[in-house]
C-alpha cells in the first residue's frame, strides 16, 4: 500500500486528523489494531473545549454533537460546604465547553470515514515503523492474517501511551518527564439523571469528588481513592454514601442515586515526551503526553495536536512550505506544558494529599478562596479550562 500520510491509531486523534486531511485533499490511511466495536465502546473523556467543538464542526462531524451535546457555561467548585459558580462566558469573552462522550465522537468520525473518507483498517496491528529519518518511511502491519507494508511520506503516531510510535524514537533524542500522583479515581456510570446542570468539583476532608454526566439520563461520577484500590471493594451503597458526604453543602441540594452500570479505577499520572517529531514521524495525543483527568485536558490536547498537524499539512499541500510542520513539536509542546501545569495545579488544589498536614490543607483552601473571590484568578482558571488558543 502507498499513501501520503500513514496514521497509526483509530481513536479520536487519528480519525479527526484523517478527516481534516481528507477535506484538504491529502490522502491517508488509518491503521487501528482493535475492532470497530471495541473503539466505539471504549469509555474515555467527555468534556470538549471550545476549540475541539470548532474542529469537529470544521470537518463536518458535529451534527449529532449539536443535537445531543450538553452546552455548559461554567463549573461549580465546592469546599467547606459552600458552592461557587465559575462563569466561563463572562470570564473568557463568551467561551463555553460541551459535554459529549468520546465514544460518540469516535462513532461519528468512523461513519464519515467509512462513507467517503480514505481507508480505515480495523484489526490492523502496526508492528514497526521503518526508516522514519528518510523521505520514505514504511509501516509494517498485520491485517487479515498476513503481514503488509504501508509506504508513506509521513507517519503520525496516534496509537496511545502503549503504542509503537514513541518507542521508535532513538533513545539519544528522547526526553521524558513523568509524575505519578499518590491517589487514583474510582469512576462510575449510573443510569440516573444528573443532579446538577454543570460539572461539580468538590474538595472534601476525605478527598476529591467530581459530578459529571454523559447525557441527560446518564451520570458520570468520580471519587478520590488510594492507589491500588479494587473497585469490587466498593459496593454501590458505599459509593453513593461517600459521594453524598463529599458533595455536601449547607443548602438545598440532593444527590440523586440510581443503578451503577460500570465501575473502574484510574491511576493519576502526568507524562510528557520530547520532542514530538523525529524525521518524518510525528506523535499526537497520548502517544506523547498524559495528564490527570482533573483538568479535562487529555482528549482536547490530542485534538489541538492534530489541528496543528492538519494546518501544517495543508500549508505543505497548498504552497510546498514545510515551515509549520517543522515547528510542530515546538508549538504543540508549549500548549502541552501549559495544560500539564493547569492539570497539576487543579489536582493538587482539590485532592486530599496522603502526606499532607494542616498547613497543606489551609493552602488548598486559600487557593480556592482566591479563585472564588478574585475575578482575575477565576478568569485564569476559566481560560485554561475552556482551552487556550492555538499558536499562530
Amino acid at each position: 500500500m502507498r499513501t501520503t500520510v500513514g496514521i497509526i491509531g483509530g481513536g479520536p486523534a487519528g480519525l479527526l486528523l484523517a478527516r481534516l486531511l481528507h477535506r484538504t485533499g491529502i490522502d491517508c490511511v488509518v491503521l487501528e489494531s482493535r475492532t470497530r466495536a471495541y473503539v466505539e465502546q471504549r469509555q474515555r473523556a467527555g468534556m470538549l473545549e471550545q476549540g475541539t467543538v470548532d474542529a469537529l464542526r470544521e470537518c463536518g462531524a458535529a451534527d449529532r454533537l449539536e443535537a445531543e451535546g450538553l452546552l455548559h457555561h461554567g463549573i461549580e467548585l465546592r469546599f467547606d460546604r459552600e458552592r461557587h459558580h465559575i462563569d466561563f462566558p463572562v470570564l473568557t469573552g463568551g467561551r463555553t465547553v460541551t459535554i459529549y462522550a468520546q465514544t460518540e465522537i469516535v462513532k461519528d468520525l468512523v461513519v464519515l470515514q467509512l462513507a467517503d473518507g480514505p481507508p480505515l483498517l480495523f484489526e490492523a496491528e502496526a508492528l514497526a515503523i521503518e526508516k522514519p529519518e528518510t523521505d520514505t518511511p514504511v509501516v509494517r502491519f498485520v491485517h487479515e492474517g498476513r503481514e503488509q507494508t504501508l509506504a508513506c511520506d509521513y507517519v503520525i503516531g496516534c496509537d496511545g501511551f502503549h503504542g509503537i510510535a514513541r518507542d521508535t524514537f532513538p533513545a539519544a533524542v528522547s526526553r521524558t518527564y513523568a509524575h505519578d500522583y499518590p491517589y487514583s479515581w474510582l469512576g462510575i456510570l449510573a443510569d440516573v439523571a444528573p443532579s446538577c446542570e454543570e460539572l461539580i468539583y468538590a474538595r472534601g476532608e476525605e478527598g476529591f469528588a467530581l459530578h459529571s454526566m454523559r447525557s441527560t439520563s446518564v451520570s458520570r461520577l468520580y471519587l478520590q481513592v488510594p492507589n491500588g484500590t479494587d473497585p469490587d471493594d466498593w459496593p454501590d451503597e458505599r459509593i453513593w454514601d461517600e459521594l453524598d458526604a463529599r458533595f455536601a453543602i449547607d443548602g438545598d441540594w440532593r444527590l440523586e442515586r440510581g443503578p451503577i452500570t460500570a465501575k473502574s479505577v484510574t491511576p493519576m499520572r502526568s507524562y510528557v515526551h520530547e520532542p514530538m517529531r523525529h524525521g518524518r514521524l510525528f506523535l499526537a495525543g497520548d502517544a506523547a503526553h498524559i495528564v490527570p483527568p482533573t483538568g479535562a485536558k487529555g482528549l482536547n490536547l490530542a485534538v489541538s495536536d492534530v489541528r496543528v498537524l492538519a494546518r501544517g499539512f495543508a500549508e505543505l499541500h497548498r504552497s510546498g512550505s514545510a515551515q509549520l510542520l517543522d515547528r510542530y513539536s515546538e508549538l504543540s509542546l508549549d500548549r502541552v506544558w501549559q495544560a500539564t501545569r493547569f492539570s497539576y495545579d487543579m489536582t493538587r488544589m482539590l485532592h486530599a494529599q496522603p502526606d499532607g498536614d494542616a498547613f497543606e490543607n489551609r493552602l488548598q483552601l486559600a487557593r480556592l478562596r482566591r479563585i472564588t473571590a478574585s475575578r482575575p484568578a477565576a478568569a485564569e482558571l476559566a481560560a485554561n479550562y475552556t482551552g487556550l488558543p492555538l499558536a499562530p
Side-chain angles (χ1 to χ4, degrees), residues 173-189:
V173 305
S174 295
R175 301 179 301 276
T176 60
Y177 307 87
H179 176 75
D180 294 310
Y181 296 81
Y183 33 74
S184 300
W185 278 11
L186 170 63
I188 66 166
L189 281 172

Side-chain angles (χ1 to χ4, degrees), residues 12 15-23 52-63 105 108-109 112-113 116:
L15 292 170
L16 177 59
L17 177 59
R19 194 70 194 163
L20 292 169
L21 294 178
H22 175 63
R23 290 172 70 89
T52 297
V53 173
D54 294 342
L56 291 167
R57 287 173 178 153
E58 178 186 341
C59 74
D63 289 351
I105 295 173
D108 295 342
L109 290 169
L112 289 171
Q113 188 84 351
D116 67 357

